[in-house]
Structure formats: structure tokens, C-alpha cells
Amino acid sequence: MKTTTSPKQKGSSRGRKMQPRVTPPTDRELAIFDEQETDLLLRAMHEPVEYFDHPAFRSRNIEKTLFGQDPQSFAQDNHEFVATPAYIPDADPDSIARVRVTTPTRDQEQVLFQRYNFARREVFRIIKAHTNKRLSRQVMRDLVKWLKIANASRAHIVQANMPLVLAMAKRSRITGVDFADLISEGNMALLRSVEKFDCSRGFKFSTYGCRAILKAFSRVAQRAMRYRSRFPTEFDPALEKSDFLERQRELVEEDHLDGLRDVLAGNYADLTDVERRVIQARFALQALDPEDARPLTLAQVGEIVGVTKERVRQIQNKALEKLRHALEDNIAAA
């Protein structure tokens, strides 16, 4: 299996990354895990696995130092260094001034990132040791344990550094970009920074993370500028609505009415005088202006021709049948 050094960590050879090649487990083997655990397993077996090594990992008691007697307890949702504000503004950059930015100290960061990368290293070692092999149930349990610890450790780091995104959004002063889009892009940059940060090099994460967040803001601003250059006007919902189909439908209806008037004028359907009067009155075909066309009811037509409305319905149906055959003949002849 090919193991590579992370190309983004120049000057450091501690980054390790590989593409898993593990024989997928059967559905029966996965039955002992819940849906979340199954998803974690399958993703770990198909997505690249990486971590950053640290000199502290050589210590004999490093696992106990980082996690205590029960490492799996860190997989629970109990963030230790919670520094995010209770109030996170929603698309209101002016209110960010009320946010107090409190990030972990350097020592706290070291512990957080060592936990995160140690858990990822254990996942890496399990996957690498079972290249082209099928994982046993116990190995899959261990893999799930370290995957959960890695995810929980990353959540601790992200939770503690979320105020950085809000503070950088306030200071960026980027115009023409929706504030929610700016925050979203900054959060994504923060997540990527956590995965790519090598704490063994001695830098504080905020230095690395702020630079990545600013780059993300710059990218979203460039995208907005390109969009405005192509679409200089503001969005207008009225411009999105086209009446093309309605106009086409009206044209088809007008063509049909013209054809029907021609058939009636030439009496190509062999209608009787009563049938012609009923059709013209029922569908207002005699009106010169379509806006003045007012179809009459069966009862009103019956009063004109001197029959009941039921008889008008019978005459109408018979006349329509004749007209349909006449129109079909015309279409066939064309």
C-alpha cells in the first residue's frame, strides 16, 4: 500500500495519508452495529485516511495520558474547551461586536490536537494492517471506537475555534457578499484547517486557521465579483417567469377557433340550422371581438331556439360529433 507524506505540510514529514484497500464486510458482519457506526466504518474503508505524527506518541503511556483510563468516554458529546458564545448572530455582522473571542491556550490546543491525531493514527494503523484483508468483528469494534474518538476530538477543536470565523468575518469588510455565505465559507475553511494542522511544529492553531479563513473569504469574494460581472442586475423574480407556454397555448386555441369558424361558415360538417345556432351561441363564435364573447348557458340557448335545455345538450353533442369528424378530415387532407 502506498503511503504518502502530506504535500501541504512543507518542511514537515509527519503527515501520513493513504487510500484504504480493505475487503468490505458483509451485511451480516455489519448487523452488530447501528446505522451511525456502519456509516463510519464504510467511510473509513473507502475514503483516504490521514494523520499527523507527534513525538509524544512514542511515549509508552501516551494513550492513558491523553484519554485516561477509558478512551471511549471521549467519544461522547461532552466538549471540554467550550469557547463559543451563547449567542451566534444570524446574518447580522454588526452584532458580531458582542461576540467574545476566547480560543484555547497553546497547551490546551496541544492536548486537543494530540488526541485528534492519535485517534486518526490508530485508524490508520488498523486500516494499514488489514490491507486486502477482511476485518474481524473485534477489529471493526476497535475501528469504530477510534473513529468516534477522532470525530469527538475534532468537534472539540471546531467548537472551541468557531469564534474565529465570526471575528474574521467582522474584520474582513468584504462588500457584495451575503453574510451567511461568508460565515458558511469560513466554517468550511475551519474544518479543513483542523484536518491539515500539524501541532508538532509549535505554531498556534489560530495563526494557521485565520490565514485559511481569510483565503476562503477572498475566494467567495472573487466568485461574487465574477457573478456580478456576468449578471450585473439585481435578481428580479419577474424576469424568471416566461409567458411563452401561455402565448403558445393561446395561438393554438386561436388556430382551432379559426378552423372551427371556417367549417361552420362552409358548413363542411353538414349541420342543420338549429345545430349551427346552438354551437355559435354556446361557444360565442359569432362575436367579432373575443373579449366580448360570452357563451350562453343551455337554458339561455333553449329559450332562443324554443326547446328545453336537455334537448339543447343533445343537439350540441350531436353537432360536436359532426364537427370533430369534419376537422379530422381536414387535418388528414392537409
Side-chain angles (χ1 to χ4, degrees):
M1 176 176 296
K2 184 177 181 181
T3 304
T4 61
T5 300
S6 176
K8 295 189 177 182
Q9 297 294 321
K10 296 181 179 180
S12 172
S13 60
R14 301 186 188 279
R16 297 290 184 268
K17 184 176 182 178
M18 71 174 178
Q19 181 64 44
R21 288 187 297 175
V22 179
T23 303
T26 63
D27 292 340
R28 184 176 180 181
E29 292 171 332
L30 292 174
I32 62 174
F33 302 103
D34 59 30
E35 184 177 352
Q36 180 186 13
E37 293 170 341
T38 300
D39 182 64
L40 285 174
L41 277 172
L42 295 179
R43 289 179 59 185
M45 295 178 188
H46 293 89
E47 297 179 357
V49 182
E50 64 178 323
Y51 75 99
F52 286 95
D53 203 0
H54 194 282
F57 295 167
R58 310 292 186 274
S59 174
R60 179 179 300 179
N61 297 321
I62 184 61
E63 183 175 330
K64 183 178 180 181
T65 301
L66 292 176
F67 303 103
Q69 298 292 340
D70 184 15
Q72 196 157 0
S73 64
F74 287 87
Q76 307 301 323
D77 189 17
N78 54 348
H79 306 308
E80 288 192 19
F81 304 114
V82 178
T84 51
Y87 167 73
I88 296 180
D90 183 12
D92 183 10
D94 294 334
S95 62
I96 300 182
R98 299 196 298 270
V99 176
R100 183 173 60 90
V101 179
T102 305
T103 57
T105 65
R106 187 183 299 273
D107 292 339
Q108 290 174 336
E109 277 188 359
Q110 284 290 320
V111 174
L112 287 171
F113 276 98
Q114 285 180 29
R115 287 174 179 170
Y116 179 46
N117 282 288
F118 184 86
R120 292 203 296 174
R121 188 189 74 155
E122 294 304 304
V123 173
F124 186 99
R125 293 175 62 178
I126 293 174
I127 295 294
K128 186 177 181 179
H130 292 81
T131 301
N132 297 326
K133 298 179 182 178
R134 188 181 298 277
L135 303 180
S136 65
R137 290 190 175 183
Q138 183 56 47
V139 171
M140 285 193 291
R141 288 191 180 96
D142 292 339
L143 185 58
V144 167
K145 178 186 75 172
W146 288 113
L147 286 169
K148 286 183 175 181
I149 294 174
N151 286 348
S153 299
R154 181 178 62 177
H156 295 171
I157 299 170
V158 172
Q159 182 80 6
N161 288 278
M162 277 277 237
L164 284 177
V165 179
L166 301 176
M168 298 306 294
K170 175 178 179 288
R171 296 172 185 173
S172 62
R173 299 299 181 184
I174 295 177
T175 59
V177 179
D178 186 76
F179 185 68
D181 292 341
L182 204 64
I183 294 297
S184 177
E185 197 72 21
N187 288 340
M188 293 301 298
L190 176 64
L191 288 171
R192 290 191 296 267
S193 299
V194 171
E195 295 177 355
K196 300 298 181 181
F197 180 66
D198 183 3
C199 67
S200 66
R201 301 182 67 181
F203 300 108
K204 203 169 186 300
F205 174 72
S206 58
T207 304
Y208 180 79
C210 287
R211 184 177 179 182
I213 293 169
L214 282 176
K215 286 185 177 180
F217 288 168
S218 177
R219 287 194 298 268
V220 73
Q222 290 175 2
R223 286 200 302 267
M225 289 178 61
R226 288 196 298 267
Y227 179 85
R228 287 196 300 272
S229 66
R230 296 174 183 175
F231 306 97
T233 61
E234 294 292 334
F235 174 73
D236 185 358
L239 297 178
E240 294 294 305
K241 183 179 179 181
S242 172
D243 61 348
F244 175 77
L245 294 179
E246 295 178 2
R247 292 180 61 84
Q248 289 296 107
R249 190 179 302 111
E250 292 175 358
L251 291 175
V252 171
E253 291 177 356
E254 290 177 3
D255 290 341
H256 289 173
L257 287 174
D258 291 339
L260 183 57
R261 290 190 179 98
D262 292 340
V263 171
L264 288 173
N267 198 17
Y268 300 129
D270 294 330
L271 300 179
T272 65
D273 292 339
V274 175
E275 289 173 342
R276 291 177 63 185
R277 291 177 63 188
V278 168
I279 293 297
Q280 290 172 344
R282 283 286 290 143
F283 300 100
L285 297 177
Q286 289 181 323
L288 298 177
D289 188 352
E291 295 183 359
D292 294 335
R294 295 181 181 178
L296 301 181
T297 65
L298 292 173
Q300 290 172 335
V301 176
E303 293 178 359
I304 294 174
V305 297
V307 296
T308 64
K309 66 177 184 180
E310 180 58 32
R311 180 55 182 160
V312 172
R313 182 185 290 107
Q314 296 173 1
I315 296 172
Q316 171 186 291
N317 293 339
K318 185 177 180 180
L320 289 176
E321 186 68 18
K322 290 181 179 180
L323 290 170
R324 184 175 66 82
H325 286 300
L327 291 172
E328 288 176 354
D329 293 340
N330 288 344
I331 293 174

